[in-house]
Amino acid sequence: MASGTAYPSSQIRSVLDSVGSSIRNAYARISNNNNYKVVQAADSDEELGDEESKSHECPHCDNAVKPGSPKRRRERVDAWLTWGGWANSIFLAFVLVWLVWYHGNRLESQCIHKTSAYSPLLGEVPNILIESRRNGSIRWSSPYRGEPSYEVDKAWEEISIFRPLDYQLTIEEYLEVGMSPETAARNAPEFGGGFFLQPEFSHQLHCVNLLRKASHFKYGYYKTHDPDFRDKEETFKIHLDHCVEMLRQFVMCRAEVGLVTAHWIEQRARPWPDFNTKQICRDFDGVLKWTREHQLPESAPMMPLKPEGAKALSSPP
């Protein structure tokens, strides 16, 4: 058996007495804070007499709740249950808020996917629906309207003209879009060699912009600033009709059923329509930001040139 240091019994008793005294003093301080006083045990083994015991008793001890009593234990249990209930309520509230947020975002994403044709970009661009109000005021000073000028043209170009997307599409994804990859145009190898891609909205806005330019009948100005207006007259008319047709299909595809109301106006016999209607929109700023960040470098051409030996269609689709 391993030997250990032997301590005299007097030292052991002294240590135990010191620890016991510290415990009694701490217990007495706690008791005093609760408006009652605990009778301290005598240092000796002899019990206190009745008179001496009574002299140490607190006059309020009969009404005080003593530690360890059933009432004290019930109070502690009630306190724990109260705090536990609050903690559970707060936790459940956070869970509920998160579930509502998650479910709402999931519904928005599902709605966008259900009402959109397949596109790999649906998983890339922000899938956010925003309620806004159209500004249909007849004289609204929009940055996209006004007499032909560099500023107005620049505003349109920033939302409709982009370099090819720097986005790698797989053969399977290209087939899912509904096109044949065999005759697909690709970017030059130094720019990744991926499929030549542009977002659909850029083409739609290009058509709107062309109609805007044509509506001013200032062909002289745009013949200098826009190569589309330098085409032959017949070619330009076909281009213009194409843009009108694209917009017609877009409007009929959306078939919005929102209501346009009208109001009586002083000094006018007929009502004036209020085109400032509500609409649910994609987050165009988010889509625009993503498109700008995913263009090929500025050194890339706006359109690639057909390489030698490339398989081609016999006529435009």
Side-chain angles (χ1 to χ4, degrees):
M1 180 180 294
S3 61
T5 305
Y7 292 97
S9 59
S10 60
Q11 291 184 5
I12 295 175
R13 183 176 180 81
S14 176
V15 171
L16 292 176
D17 289 341
S18 177
V19 172
S21 178
S22 298
I23 293 174
R24 287 193 297 272
N25 291 336
Y27 192 68
R29 284 196 297 271
I30 295 173
S31 300
N32 288 333
N33 291 334
N34 289 280
N35 296 323
Y36 60 82
K37 190 174 182 180
V38 177
V39 178
Q40 294 184 352
D43 291 338
S44 63
D45 293 336
E46 298 178 357
E47 295 184 355
L48 294 173
D50 292 340
E51 294 183 359
E52 189 176 357
S53 297
K54 291 179 180 179
S55 65
H56 288 282
E57 289 180 355
C58 173
H60 305 290
C61 284
D62 292 338
N63 298 325
V65 180
K66 295 182 175 58
S69 66
K71 186 174 182 180
R72 173 64 69 180
R73 287 196 294 269
R74 284 196 302 272
E75 288 178 352
R76 289 179 178 175
V77 171
D78 290 343
W80 277 108
L81 289 176
T82 300
W83 284 106
W86 276 108
N88 285 333
S89 298
I90 294 172
F91 174 75
L92 290 175
F94 275 113
V95 171
L96 182 61
V97 169
W98 181 84
L99 286 175
V100 170
W101 172 83
Y102 174 77
H103 188 61
N105 285 354
R106 190 164 176 266
L107 283 178
E108 276 195 0
S109 179
Q110 289 178 341
C111 179
I112 291 174
H113 279 75
K114 286 288 186 182
T115 56
S116 301
Y118 170 78
S119 171
L121 299 189
L122 287 175
E124 301 288 342
V125 300
N127 284 326
I128 300 174
L129 296 176
I130 299 175
E131 183 181 81
S132 63
R133 187 175 293 277
R134 294 183 182 90
N135 194 324
S137 301
I138 198 70
R139 298 188 184 280
W140 177 45
S141 181
S142 165
Y144 304 104
R145 64 187 294 182
E147 288 295 313
S149 66
Y150 171 81
E151 290 74 20
V152 176
D153 290 346
K154 184 67 174 176
W156 276 94
E157 289 172 2
E158 288 181 349
I159 62 173
S160 62
I161 298 179
F162 307 97
R163 297 185 299 278
L165 290 179
D166 186 9
Y167 188 81
Q168 296 297 324
L169 212 63
T170 65
I171 298 294
E172 291 75 17
E173 288 173 329
Y174 200 90
L175 289 170
E176 187 70 20
V177 172
M179 304 297 177
S180 171
E182 294 183 356
T183 57
R186 290 178 175 268
N187 298 312
E190 59 266 31
F191 297 110
F195 294 109
F196 172 75
L197 302 170
Q198 285 281 359
E200 181 68 38
F201 76 86
S202 66
H203 176 223
Q204 294 164 349
L205 286 173
H206 157 77
C207 285
V208 178
N209 192 26
L210 188 67
L211 292 175
R212 175 193 67 86
K213 292 176 179 179
S215 69
H216 288 281
F217 303 106
K218 292 192 175 181
Y219 297 108
Y221 175 87
Y222 282 115
K223 279 185 177 180
T224 304
H225 295 84
D226 191 333
D228 285 332
F229 283 76
R230 292 197 288 269
D231 286 335
K232 295 179 181 179
E233 183 177 347
E234 185 63 25
T235 302
F236 180 77
K237 287 181 178 179
I238 293 174
H239 191 172
L240 201 60
D241 284 344
H242 158 77
C243 285
V244 173
E245 178 62 13
M246 293 301 299
L247 292 176
R248 180 196 66 79
Q249 293 180 34
F250 177 77
V251 172
M252 293 180 67
C253 177
R254 291 292 300 271
E256 291 191 8
V257 293
L259 299 176
V260 176
T261 59
H263 303 273
W264 297 118
I265 307 297
E266 293 181 359
Q267 309 301 323
R268 294 186 65 90
R270 296 183 179 182
W272 189 274
D274 182 2
F275 294 112
N276 302 295
T277 55
K278 287 185 177 181
Q279 56 186 349
I280 301 297
C281 306
R282 293 286 294 272
D283 180 12
F284 183 79
D285 289 338
V287 174
L288 184 64
K289 181 176 182 292
W290 185 94
T291 302
R292 287 173 174 168
E293 292 174 350
H294 289 79
Q295 299 178 88
L296 289 176
E298 292 186 5
S299 57
M302 293 302 292
M303 285 192 177
L305 295 176
K306 182 172 65 177
E308 289 288 338
K311 192 172 182 179
L313 297 175
S314 58
S315 61

